[in-house]
């Protein structure tokens, strides 16, 4: 009897698929803000930086910055610029599975600001392009509400490249809210001289007051590889 076209289950299986092992559901994460969320509805720009090296460009000890809230479990901190109506959010080394929950916690801040500018670093090995790839490639994603894109003259992120994690959630939320949102993706591997220069040019364009550090220590110039 032919079994063509039929689904025949073997009597015994030695190879198990991923879905064969049913694991008990883990408890829902209970991320919470350290302090009560108090929203300033006059926020002009909310800066969000996510990735290695980027915090080196920000003087977090600046007298202009005041830590207003944080989620220690995911290394997320929000600072307020005392002199300007701007907020700065720094984040790195978090579990991507928690992205949706983190974006939901950020929702009150993101809904109340006029502009959102995100900077995210991604390894250059993940960048997909048919053209010559430089040591540092910067691409942009813009929500439909952004009408003036001349401030950041970076090409739009090409397919099949995508962004993920909190950055993707933030830009998607701003699109749903029909509000301004810009995501700048920096594909890079190490902070060599060329890449530091490119990132410095990018931070020069950000109106963050005096909290921007024009130079950083180059880790490549250390004695690690002597």
């Amino acid at each position: 009897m032919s079994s063509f076209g039929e689904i025949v289950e073997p009597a015994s299986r030695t190879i198990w698929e991923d879905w064969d092992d049913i694991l008990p559901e883990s408890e829902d994460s209970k991320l919470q803000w350290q302090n009560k969320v108090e929203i300033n509805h006059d926020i002009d720009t909310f800066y969000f930086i996510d990735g290695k090296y980027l915090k080196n460009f920000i003087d977090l000890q600046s007298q202009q910055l005041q830590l207003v809230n944080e989620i220690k479990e995911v290394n997320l901190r929000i600072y307020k610029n005392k002199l300007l109506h701007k907020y700065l959010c720094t984040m790195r080394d978090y579990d991507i599975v928690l992205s949706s929950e983190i974006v939901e916690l950020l929702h009150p801040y993101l809904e109340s600001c006029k502009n959102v500018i995100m900077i995210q670093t991604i390894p250059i090995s993940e960048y997909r392009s048919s053209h010559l790839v430089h040591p540092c490639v910067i691409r942009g994603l813009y929500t439909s509400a952004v009408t003036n894109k001349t401030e950041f003259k970076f090409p739009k992120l090409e397919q099949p490249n995508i962004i993920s994690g909190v950055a993707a959630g933030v830009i998607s939320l701003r699109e749903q809210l029909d509000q301004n949102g810009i995501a700048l993706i920096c594909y890079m591997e190490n902070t060599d001289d060329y890449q530091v220069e490119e990132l410095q040019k990018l931070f020069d364009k950000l109106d963050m007051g005096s909290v921007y550090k024009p130079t950083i220590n180059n880790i490549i110039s250390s004695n690690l590889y002597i």
Side-chain angles (χ1 to χ4, degrees):
M1 176 179 175
S2 173
S3 61
F4 179 77
E6 298 178 5
I7 299 177
V8 179
E9 290 285 348
S12 64
R13 293 182 294 171
T14 58
I15 301 178
W16 291 84
E17 300 291 351
D18 294 338
W19 51 84
D20 289 331
D21 294 326
I22 302 177
L23 300 176
E25 294 184 1
S26 59
E27 296 183 359
D28 294 335
S29 176
K30 300 295 183 182
L31 296 180
Q32 293 182 349
W33 290 112
Q34 188 75 11
N35 304 315
K36 181 181 178 181
V37 176
E38 297 181 357
I39 303 302
N40 181 349
H41 293 279
D42 294 328
I43 301 176
D44 179 59
T45 304
F46 188 95
Y47 295 101
F48 183 90
I49 61 174
D50 175 16
K52 293 183 178 180
Y53 313 124
L54 291 180
K55 288 176 64 175
N56 295 330
F57 286 87
I58 305 297
D59 183 9
L60 298 178
Q61 304 302 319
S62 171
Q63 297 298 319
Q64 292 188 24
L65 292 181
Q66 175 186 357
L67 179 64
V68 295
N69 224 331
E70 63 179 329
I71 306 176
K72 294 183 178 180
E73 294 84 351
V74 292
N75 300 310
L76 186 152
R77 291 176 175 82
I78 293 183
Y79 300 86
K80 176 184 178 181
N81 191 312
K82 300 177 183 178
L83 303 180
L84 305 172
H85 296 295
K86 302 178 186 294
Y87 276 52
L88 169 67
C89 178
T90 64
M91 187 176 186
R92 59 170 297 178
D93 300 332
Y94 64 94
D95 188 347
I96 196 172
V97 176
L98 300 174
S99 297
S100 297
E101 185 176 357
I102 296 171
V103 173
E104 187 64 28
L105 289 171
L106 286 169
H107 192 290
Y109 293 99
L110 299 173
E111 188 178 29
S112 304
C113 57
K114 298 178 182 178
N115 303 287
V116 169
I117 299 178
M118 296 177 297
I119 305 177
Q120 182 184 42
T121 57
I122 298 179
I124 190 67
S125 58
E126 297 185 20
Y127 179 62
R128 300 292 178 260
S129 174
S130 58
H131 303 290
L132 179 64
V133 177
H134 298 286
C136 181
V137 175
I138 302 179
R139 293 292 182 265
L141 283 177
Y142 310 88
T143 62
S144 303
V146 177
T147 56
N148 182 13
K149 302 178 183 179
T150 58
E151 182 179 1
F152 301 103
K153 298 180 180 179
F154 299 111
K156 185 178 179 180
L157 183 66
E158 318 96 318
Q159 295 181 347
N161 297 292
I162 61 173
I163 62 174
S164 59
V166 175
V170 169
I171 196 71
S172 298
L173 176 60
R174 293 292 291 184
E175 177 68 22
Q176 293 176 8
L177 296 174
D178 193 26
Q179 296 177 335
N180 286 354
I182 298 176
L184 301 176
I185 304 94
C186 306
Y187 290 93
M188 54 184 292
E189 194 61 47
N190 296 310
T191 53
D192 57 28
D193 293 337
Y194 173 79
Q195 293 175 21
V196 169
E197 181 182 357
E198 288 298 307
L199 291 180
Q200 286 180 346
K201 290 179 181 178
L202 172 58
F203 274 84
D204 280 338
K205 298 179 181 180
L206 303 178
D207 185 15
M208 301 178 64
S210 62
V211 300
Y212 163 67
K213 293 196 295 187
T215 59
I216 69 172
N217 295 326
N218 191 347
I219 63 173
I220 302 302
S221 64
S222 68
N223 297 327
L224 181 62
Y225 297 101
I226 291 180

